[in-house]
Structures are given as structure tokens and as C-alpha cells.
Amino acid sequence: MNPSTRRHITRLLAAAAASAALGGAHAADAWPSRPITLVVNGGAGSLPDIFARPLGDRRSAALGQPVVVDNKPGAGGMVAMQQVKNAPKDGHTLAVATNAHLVWNPYVFPKLTYDPATDLVPVSPISVIPMALVVNPKLAAQSVAELFALAKKEPGKLNYASSGNGSPPHVLFEMLREQAGANIVHVPFKTGTDALTSVVAGDTQIYLAGTSLVEPMVKDGRLRVLAVSPKVPAAAFAGAPTLESQGFDGYESAVWLGLVATAGTPPAVVQRLNDEVGKALKDPAMRQAMLAHGALPYHASPAAFTQRIAAERATWGPAIRRLGIQPN
């Protein structure tokens, strides 16, 4: 290739890069051009829903378009994630996802209908969700030690609820059960709200769930909290020991919520979305509401969020395979 041709190609590549950057900037300037759909894998009142609605409400006015929450529970998040996967690549369809959807599901579901690494683009984390180990107050266990002593005394008699196979309550309680060496039966439900209702009613006895979900029932005595992880400032959990202090490992920052878009969404739009999440998390009222429920605001760049997801896949994949987590 002669020097003249090489210079010509170099100019063409530079022009193409500049055009792409300009196009991305124009895409971000034009976004949003219609209402934004925020898909939530959970029913109204579920843990993701609790955070999706105030996030959407706080950005609607700033964006000049409504943010509409679309609840799509079930199938381990496949319904919700596939909706985003199949959406136009323009940032108008987003999903609130947990690490279950972005990290764990490929190791749980042999026929996963989406690939979190290629079909979705990480936008921003939203919150670290502290977990609370709670029981129905009629259960004769006042501590974690008493719970597992009871389970070992009567193997297979106790049961625990979850929001579905492969969900954070399922995977994390299996870790807990394995470390304790106890035989406790898993009862999966379609949503976290359904699981919560079952424990309050006494149909199941145990639930390891986000503090924000169980807090009202802990406050009014319908649930007893045995431990949390990590330590949270919410008054309902004051004095509760951490799981780590009880000899259990792997629960600090184990569950988080984040925002994802359709793969192929212009990077400038992804960055704009990330900026908007950052602004929402700086809102004093939203921060206070999150902290009051025990949730910890968490913001990072799209690149940092992507790196965390990749690192967790490498860590959690072997653990989930060892636990034998299955979709049914």
C-alpha cells in the first residue's frame, strides 16, 4: 500500500470515527423522544419495584418524558430480560436487574432465553441490597444458632421461601444451608411478595430477603429478624447480628440492583442514562428513603459496572454449579 493510499484510508477512518461520535452525541441529545418503559421482574411491591418507581418518578420531570414501570414477574427474570433484549436499540426500554439476572442465570437455566453478556448492556448499578434472615415469629428460634439447631434436630421439616429458582433468596439461602450443614426444604414462589406472604401466614417459616421488602413486617412483629448482612442503619434491624459475625461468609454486598438496556444502544445514550441514575441517587429524599429501608445507594460508570458483572460471573459460576441450583 503506497503512502498516499494509506493517508487516504487514515482520513476516512478518522472521519468515520468522528461521524460516529457526532451521531452518538445527536442520539443522546434526541433521547428520550417518547415515554421510557422500565421493566421490572417482580410484581407491585416487590423489591425491584420498590426502587424502580421512585427512580422513574424522579427522572420523568428532568427527561421530559414519563417513565412507565412494566411489571413482568416470573421465569427467573427471563420474561423481563427478553423484553429488553427484543426492544429497539434506542434506550427507551430498560430493565431493573439483579445479579441473579446478569450473573447467576446462565449457570442456573440450561435454556436461558437471553445472554446477559451479549443481549444486554449494563447502564448503572442502583443499590446494594442488604439481606435479612427472618422467620415466622411462631417458630421456636430466637437466633441463627437456634434456627439451625432446630433444623438439624428435625431434618427436612422446616422450609424456606424464595422468589423463584435461581433468585437471590434461593441461591443465598442454599449457601447458608450448605455452610450450616442443615436439611431445609426450598419452596419457590413467583414473586418476592408471594414468598413474603407465605412466611407471614406461616405456610413457610423462613425467608432470606432484602431488608427493604421485609422491614414493615419486622416493624409490626409479623416477622422476627435473626441476622442481616451487611449491617444496616434502619431502626427495624438495630441490634441484629450480621451473618458474618455468626460464622457465615459471602454475604457482604452479595445482592445488588442495576439498570440495563438493549445491547447496541448508542454509548452516548447509555452514558446519559448513567448520568441520570447518578443524579437520582444524589437526590436527598431518594437517598434518605433508600437508607431508611436499609438499602445502600450505589453508583458507578457503565465500564465499572460491566467489570463487576464479569468478575462476579467468574466467582459465582463454580459456586452455583457446586450447589446444584436447578430451575425446577
Side-chain angles (χ1 to χ4, degrees), residues 99 102-103 116-126 256-263 265 267 270-271 274 298-314:
N99 44 322
L102 303 182
V103 176
T118 59
D119 295 328
L120 306 171
V121 58
V123 172
S124 175
I126 299 171
W256 42 258
L257 292 178
L259 203 64
V260 295
T262 311
T265 298
V270 172
Q271 186 58 57
N274 182 278
Y298 169 34
H299 184 241
S301 70
F305 190 28
T306 301
Q307 288 171 359
R308 173 169 185 162
I309 292 167
E312 290 195 4
R313 283 180 189 142

Side-chain angles (χ1 to χ4, degrees), residues 13-321:
L13 291 173
S19 177
L22 186 59
H26 286 163
D29 290 341
W31 179 91
S33 59
R34 62 179 186 276
I36 297 165
T37 299
L38 187 54
V39 186
V40 173
N41 173 48
S46 64
L47 190 148
D49 185 80
I50 288 171
F51 295 99
R53 293 185 184 277
L55 180 65
D57 290 344
R58 278 168 172 75
R59 300 330 299 159
S60 290
L63 295 171
Q65 292 286 352
V67 178
V68 181
V69 173
D70 187 4
N71 296 96
K72 291 292 178 66
M78 281 191 271
V79 176
M81 298 304 118
Q82 193 163 355
Q83 182 173 335
V84 179
K85 167 189 171 181
N86 295 332
K89 303 172 182 180
D90 57 12
H92 287 87
T93 304
L94 313 168
V96 174
T98 69
N99 44 322
H101 309 134
L102 303 182
V103 176
W104 300 348
N105 275 1
Y107 306 102
V108 174
F109 295 92
K111 296 182 179 179
L112 195 64
T113 58
Y114 70 98
D115 185 338
T118 59
D119 295 328
L120 306 171
V121 58
V123 172
S124 175
I126 299 171
S127 178
V128 169
I129 307 297
M131 303 296 283
L133 178 62
V134 297
V135 297
N136 184 284
K138 292 182 180 178
L139 189 67
Q142 300 291 329
S143 67
V144 177
E146 289 183 8
L147 173 66
F148 288 119
L150 185 62
K152 291 176 182 178
K153 183 180 179 181
E154 300 180 283
K157 183 176 180 179
L158 297 183
N159 51 51
Y160 74 94
S162 85
S163 49
N165 290 291
S167 65
H170 180 204
V171 173
L172 295 178
F173 195 87
E174 280 300 299
M175 279 179 54
L176 194 64
R177 185 193 59 75
E178 181 190 52
Q179 290 182 46
N183 180 0
I184 302 175
V185 178
H186 175 221
V187 182
F189 289 86
K190 188 175 182 179
T191 70
T193 306
D194 293 338
L196 180 63
T197 300
S198 79
V199 182
V200 170
D203 298 326
T204 55
Q205 295 98 36
I206 310 163
Y207 196 18
L208 180 59
T211 53
S212 56
L213 183 63
V214 301
E215 182 192 26
M217 289 72 183
V218 172
K219 276 183 173 179
D220 64 18
R222 285 181 288 167
L223 291 175
R224 177 187 302 132
V225 59
L226 302 184
V228 295
S229 182
K231 202 77 175 175
V232 293
F237 305 100
T242 64
L243 286 170
E244 289 75 19
S245 72
Q246 303 301 295
F248 298 98
D249 299 322
Y251 294 89
E252 291 279 357
S253 302
V255 180
W256 42 258
L257 292 178
L259 203 64
V260 295
T262 311
T265 298
V269 173
V270 172
Q271 186 58 57
R272 172 84 189 280
L273 280 161
N274 182 278
D275 293 342
E276 293 299 331
V277 172
K279 291 174 185 176
L281 295 181
K282 289 179 181 177
D283 181 298
M286 183 162 184
R287 288 185 66 85
Q288 184 54 43
M290 293 174 75
L291 291 170
H293 286 299
L296 310 175
Y298 169 34
H299 184 241
S301 70
F305 190 28
T306 301
Q307 288 171 359
R308 173 169 185 162
I309 292 167
E312 290 195 4
R313 283 180 189 142
T315 299
W316 280 95
I320 291 173
R321 289 195 179 101

